[in-house]
Amino acid sequence: MKNPLYDALFAPHSGSYAPFLIAPGSGQSTSYGAFIKQAARFANTLTDLGLTPGDRMVAQVPKSPSALALYAACVQAGIVYLPLNTAYTASEVSYFLEDSGARLMVCDTGSEEALTPVAEACGARLETMGANEAGSFPDRAAGASDEFETVARDADDLAAFLYTSGTTGRSKGAMLTQANLLSNAETLKEYWRFTGEDVLLHALPIFHTHGLFVATNVILLAGGSMIFCPKFDLDQMIAALPAATTMMGVPTFYTRLLGDARFDRDLVAHMRLFVSGSAPLRAETHVDFEARTGHRILERYGMTETNMNTSNPYDGDRRAGTVGFPLPGVELKITDPETGANLPEGEIGQIEVRGPNVFSGYWQMPEKTREELRDDGFFITGDLGKIDGDGYVHIIGRNKDLIISGGYNIYPKEIELVLDAQPGVLESAVIGVPHPDFGESVVAVLVAQQGAAPDTDAIKAAVASELAGFKQPRAIEVMAELPRNTMGKVQKNVLRERYAKTFA
Ligand code: MCA
Ligand code: AMP
């Protein structure tokens, strides 16, 4: 094969009139053939702009068929695709541009002004593409050829970087190869029985593994279509469900659907499959969903660094509160966090995984890579879990200081660094507490400098100028001092208990 990922996902659809992306509401669709031509125009444009195989291209663009064509173009031209959350501020984007050494960034038309100095400082070129799919990049591409000679790639060549935050507050670029993405898409397509008949209701963002590699790659491989919603909108979901066969979502999607009386058995009787992931699905949601619809949600477990690791079975028992079995080709073991030794069945330890899905390391961070990716290929996920007597994997907790809110990962350290720099703040601790809609939400606990009274409104404004909205604390509390253990370490569990009812 010349370019394994392109040849499997895109090339087979060249010239096809079959629908790929269906707009919700209007029902207008982009055919596979038209999509492939658009991607080829983009690939020509990227090459004309001087990008060569292995270069990084950052995309921070609203969800649209063209945004997806940028991904396909990068795969075809051998460029490393680096999508960013559209909520990231200019200050956050600056880090990704600089760290990745990207040659080009394509941003929303509305962000051009704020990002121009950022791109200049990082030596990257800036082009635009807006929600209406207009902008300087599509303008350039309009005159380009809709044929492009696919660039040859090896299975081990990089296809994408996805940044994932770290406990130090510094994001790490997870390097994903063509083989990582392709192997997982092949496995999931088989495991979840996707075919060309499937219509996936797609309301996830396309800058993370879930919406891009799990949902989109599986549909591309199967030759199915997607009802491509710009975002999760309850009315739009209810209206679109009758035309769908499958849906993938984070738990918040499911709790929001269950909160609406229109979401009933009749509406989804025809559906084949509901998949949940990215955050723990409460057993209660699983049970309520079955009672309401007769369907059992299929929960699976993955990570940015590994794509999908485990899944509940398609045919067998989908057990609430578990993430199912290791996927074919994926090895999973539970080890002692201190010694790394294997633990016996039923014992709780850290989850480690190995397989063709596991990334090749963090971009320019060999030490971080060594800390988490063992020489023998096992990746230490930072999740704590156990395997029960029937082989089902349970995720019990996390060995990493991480909050998952509505499926987005939030690393407390990153917020604490911003809070600690604010006037009057001596120190801070950021915790996640239960939230009815987002699963978990962010509470910041501050300790004032002696004699100071921190201005929480000014602090909120300062945080908002630096960090994306979803990371911002939903409550700020002030304490005289933080609880610490004998080693001097802040006892976040004590804080989590104390503020557990903040959003109850
Ligand atoms: C939006 N806001 C949030 C979140 N999303 N706050 C906390 N947590 C969130 N997840 C805030 C915005 O900053 C804004 O705040 C306000 O909510 C309204 O924004 P809007 O965009 O309208 O929010 P929404 O439509 O209600 O979005 C909630 C959502 C969305 C639908 C749950 O966050 C979402 O689509 N999440 C999916 C994330 C995902 O795909 N995760 C996969 C990554 P303000 O009003 O103050 O401005 S993990 C992954 O890929 C791994 C590998 C895996 O296993 O899948
Ligand atoms: P990310 O770094 O964004 O890829 O998020 C990966 C993390 O999401 C994992 O390490 C888990 O902590 C969490 N996660 C993903 N799927 C599930 C799930 N089904 N249940 C519990 N946690 C999950």
Side-chain angles (χ1 to χ4, degrees), residues 30 92 160 168 217 255 302 391 409 419 429 434 469 478 487:
T30 307
E92 288 167 308
T168 57
N217 284 358
T255 48
N409 285 11
L419 292 171
V478 180
M487 310 287 289

Side-chain angles (χ1 to χ4, degrees), residues 34 37 50 53 78 88 96 105 138 229 276 310 373 392 427 458:
K37 284 187 173 175
Y88 287 154
F96 299 117
M105 170 167 190
C229 304
S276 177
T310 74
L373 192 56
Y392 285 81
E427 60 175 347

Side-chain angles (χ1 to χ4, degrees), residues 418-440:
V418 177
L419 292 171
D420 292 349
Q422 301 310 312
V425 176
L426 178 66
E427 60 175 347
S428 64
V430 167
I431 50 166
V433 300
H435 188 277
D437 185 31
F438 291 129
E440 285 184 290

Side-chain angles (χ1 to χ4, degrees), residues 264-458:
D264 62 12
R265 197 170 278 256
D266 286 348
L267 187 75
V268 295
H270 65 288
M271 290 285 284
R272 181 176 77 74
L273 181 64
F274 289 94
V275 178
S276 177
S278 308
L281 182 76
R282 291 209 315 272
E284 182 190 318
T285 310
H286 192 281
V287 171
D288 290 352
F289 197 89
E290 185 176 14
R292 176 87 68 88
T293 66
H295 289 284
R296 287 174 82 89
I297 298 174
L298 183 154
E299 185 173 8
R300 58 44 170 196
Y301 156 62
M303 281 187 81
T304 300
E305 289 92 333
T306 63
N307 290 291
M308 297 304 102
N309 295 315
T310 74
S311 171
N312 268 280
Y314 188 83
D315 284 327
D317 191 10
R318 298 177 194 167
R319 291 200 187 156
T322 84
V323 292
F325 308 113
L327 285 162
V330 178
E331 292 169 83
L332 184 147
K333 61 181 185 179
I334 308 290
T335 62
D336 182 324
E338 302 299 323
T339 64
N342 281 2
L343 290 176
E345 181 191 292
E347 280 196 25
I348 297 172
Q350 61 186 5
I351 300 178
E352 298 192 27
V353 294
R354 176 165 74 179
N357 53 317
V358 174
F359 76 142
S360 57
Y362 297 114
W363 171 248
Q364 291 183 338
M365 288 190 182
E367 298 85 28
K368 278 273 152 212
T369 303
R370 264 195 301 278
E371 276 170 29
E372 294 176 31
L373 192 56
R374 297 188 191 278
D375 288 344
D376 64 3
F378 271 98
F379 175 66
I380 305 165
T381 61
D383 291 310
L384 297 174
K386 65 169 186 185
I387 304 176
D388 69 22
D390 294 330
Y392 285 81
V393 177
H394 299 238
I395 297 179
I396 309 289
R398 298 176 201 132
N399 207 12
K400 50 191 172 190
D401 194 12
L402 162 70
I403 301 167
I404 305 185
S405 166
Y408 285 145
N409 285 11
I410 300 168
Y411 281 84
K413 188 76 192 171
E414 194 183 358
I415 305 166
E416 288 161 2
L417 288 172
V418 177
L419 292 171
D420 292 349
Q422 301 310 312
V425 176
L426 178 66
E427 60 175 347
S428 64
V430 167
I431 50 166
V433 300
H435 188 277
D437 185 31
F438 291 129
E440 285 184 290
S441 197
V442 181
V443 172
V445 184
L446 303 180
V447 176
Q449 279 167 353
Q450 206 171 9
D455 174 349
T456 45
D457 286 339

